[in-house]
Amino acid sequence: MARRRQEGNLFFRLDVDFFSDKKIKILKARYGTDGITLYLYLLCEIYKTGYYLKVDEDFEFIISDDLNMDCNKVKQVLNFLLERSLFDNKLFQSDKVLTSAGIQRRYQGMVKARAIKTPIQVEGFWLLPEDETEPFIKVNPSLNNSENNPNNSRKNDDNSEKKETKGKKRKGEYIYTAPPGKYFDDPSLNDAFVLYLNVRKNNGEQLQLEQISLLREELLSMSDSTEELIAIVKKSTMKGWKGFFPLKNAKKGRKPVSDKNRFNNFPQRDNQELIRQLEAMEGKTYE
């Protein structure tokens, strides 16, 4: 695996509630101690060199040998970590880089003592917005681009979105605009999620990237079944809910936090095409 020329860290913080995190619980339930071991191995490799790890085609084979773990299992666990946002999937797909906003927040805390006197110039792949980046972290816009496709970098995405809002922007706010991109590997689930976001957008709601990410995580925490996740998204779309609810709760008549944006109150003229898309995906009309 490729290594970066940057002073690394001797240790990193592991919170005492690490095993209480729901994502970690699911990781352990699905892949046992191998899943936990691989995740901690990757964190060590990342913090050893800085705040991200650039990988190559031999990456999975090296891990398999280091951990005495089947290569197919390595791939499965890595895919899980990317799907559950423990690593930034978009950056991995575009540049084969492993990092996340959480990793970079912890990195700032680790280097704070030495960086206050000597600011750190980040080389690229920095995900944190300006208001979350500490003053001692100096981000060079010309270096903070995706190597394979500059449009895939988080900063360029944000700039593009701000242009589309035609000046209706505020510091630290990143507005969701179409096209939304890829949120899930499964095409049907991704299409359902995109339609849900478009319905909310057509209803006048402006979603930040952070809000969309939280919605995605909330959905993934509800089931390991792709079919059930699709059904949950479609149900929320048809009902005009602002969040997702397990199917069993929806059947019992559980109401969302707010009824303000019920589907029947949506501007029908603007949403007819979206309704037809949803019905076509399901093959039948919802009640």
Side-chain angles (χ1 to χ4, degrees):
M1 61 186 71
R3 296 300 183 91
R4 299 183 298 110
R5 295 181 179 179
Q6 180 171 334
E7 180 182 359
N9 305 284
L10 298 178
F11 58 88
F12 66 92
R13 187 187 70 191
L14 185 65
D15 296 336
V16 295
D17 60 352
F18 175 79
F19 287 99
S20 299
D21 188 289
K22 189 169 186 178
K23 294 179 182 179
I24 301 302
K25 287 179 177 290
I26 298 174
L27 173 65
K28 183 175 181 296
R30 293 187 61 173
Y31 301 104
T33 56
D34 282 348
I36 301 297
T37 300
L38 178 53
Y39 181 49
L40 292 177
Y41 174 95
L42 292 173
L43 290 179
C44 288
E45 290 299 306
I46 290 170
Y47 288 128
K48 184 188 303 182
T49 55
Y51 60 89
Y52 73 85
L53 181 67
K54 189 75 179 291
V55 304
D56 56 25
E57 58 186 9
D58 297 323
F59 166 69
E60 293 169 352
F61 297 103
I62 294 175
I63 293 180
S64 177
D65 182 68
D66 283 350
L67 301 181
N68 193 27
M69 189 181 300
D70 181 76
C71 194
N72 289 329
K73 190 166 190 178
V74 171
K75 293 180 179 179
Q76 292 174 7
V77 175
L78 181 58
N79 286 335
F80 175 89
L81 296 173
L82 291 167
E83 289 173 359
R84 297 304 175 99
S85 301
L86 288 167
F87 294 119
D88 190 279
N89 192 26
K90 187 175 182 180
L91 197 53
F92 181 80
Q93 297 301 329
S94 64
D95 293 274
K96 298 301 179 185
V97 166
L98 288 175
T99 188
S100 72
I103 287 173
Q104 293 179 11
R105 291 189 189 97
R106 289 189 290 272
Y107 171 77
Q108 289 187 142
M110 288 187 289
V111 303
K112 183 175 183 179
R114 70 171 186 264
I116 290 179
K117 296 181 179 179
T118 306
I120 292 179
Q121 179 80 44
V122 300
E123 299 176 5
F125 312 115
W126 190 255
L127 300 176
L128 299 182
E130 182 179 354
D131 58 344
E132 289 190 50
T133 300
E134 296 287 353
F136 52 79
I137 300 292
K138 304 302 180 182
V139 181
N140 188 331
S142 64
L143 296 177
N144 198 37
N145 290 329
S146 165
E147 293 181 358
N148 295 331
N149 184 355
N151 290 328
N152 281 332
S153 71
R154 180 65 57 84
K155 188 173 183 62
N156 282 345
D157 279 347
D158 295 342
N159 289 337
S160 175
E161 290 170 355
K162 290 176 183 179
K163 290 179 182 177
E164 292 184 33
T165 60
K166 298 180 180 180
K168 295 180 180 179
K169 59 184 180 180
R170 291 174 291 183
K171 183 177 180 181
E173 182 178 279
Y174 305 100
I175 306 302
Y176 161 76
T177 55
K182 183 177 180 181
Y183 300 100
F184 300 95
D185 290 333
D186 183 85
S188 298
L189 178 57
N190 193 71
D191 290 345
F193 189 73
V194 168
L195 183 58
Y196 168 80
L197 294 177
N198 282 336
V199 168
R200 291 190 61 176
K201 183 173 183 288
N202 275 21
N203 197 43
E205 298 181 63
Q206 294 181 325
L207 299 180
Q208 299 179 7
L209 292 178
E210 290 82 357
Q211 290 176 298
I212 296 176
S213 178
L214 289 173
L215 281 170
R216 180 180 179 277
E217 292 181 15
E218 177 187 28
L219 177 62
L220 287 172
S221 69
M222 293 182 178
S223 175
D224 291 330
S225 169
T226 301
E227 290 74 16
E228 185 174 350
L229 293 179
I230 293 173
I232 291 173
V233 176
K234 290 180 178 179
K235 186 75 172 181
S236 292
T237 303
M238 296 302 295
K239 295 295 185 181
W241 291 341
K242 290 187 175 182
F244 300 118
F245 301 91
L247 293 179
K248 59 181 181 180
N249 290 335
K251 291 178 180 178
K252 292 178 181 179
R254 175 179 176 181
K255 295 182 179 180
V257 176
S258 173
D259 293 344
K260 187 175 181 180
N261 278 330
R262 298 290 295 180
F263 186 77
N264 292 333
N265 294 329
F266 283 3
Q268 296 298 313
R269 181 180 59 184
D270 295 336
N271 285 303
Q272 289 303 313
E273 179 60 28
L274 296 175
I275 296 172
R276 285 194 291 272
Q277 292 180 31
L278 183 61
E279 292 176 347
M281 291 166 57
E282 180 64 17
K284 62 179 180 180
T285 303
Y286 277 75
E287 297 180 356

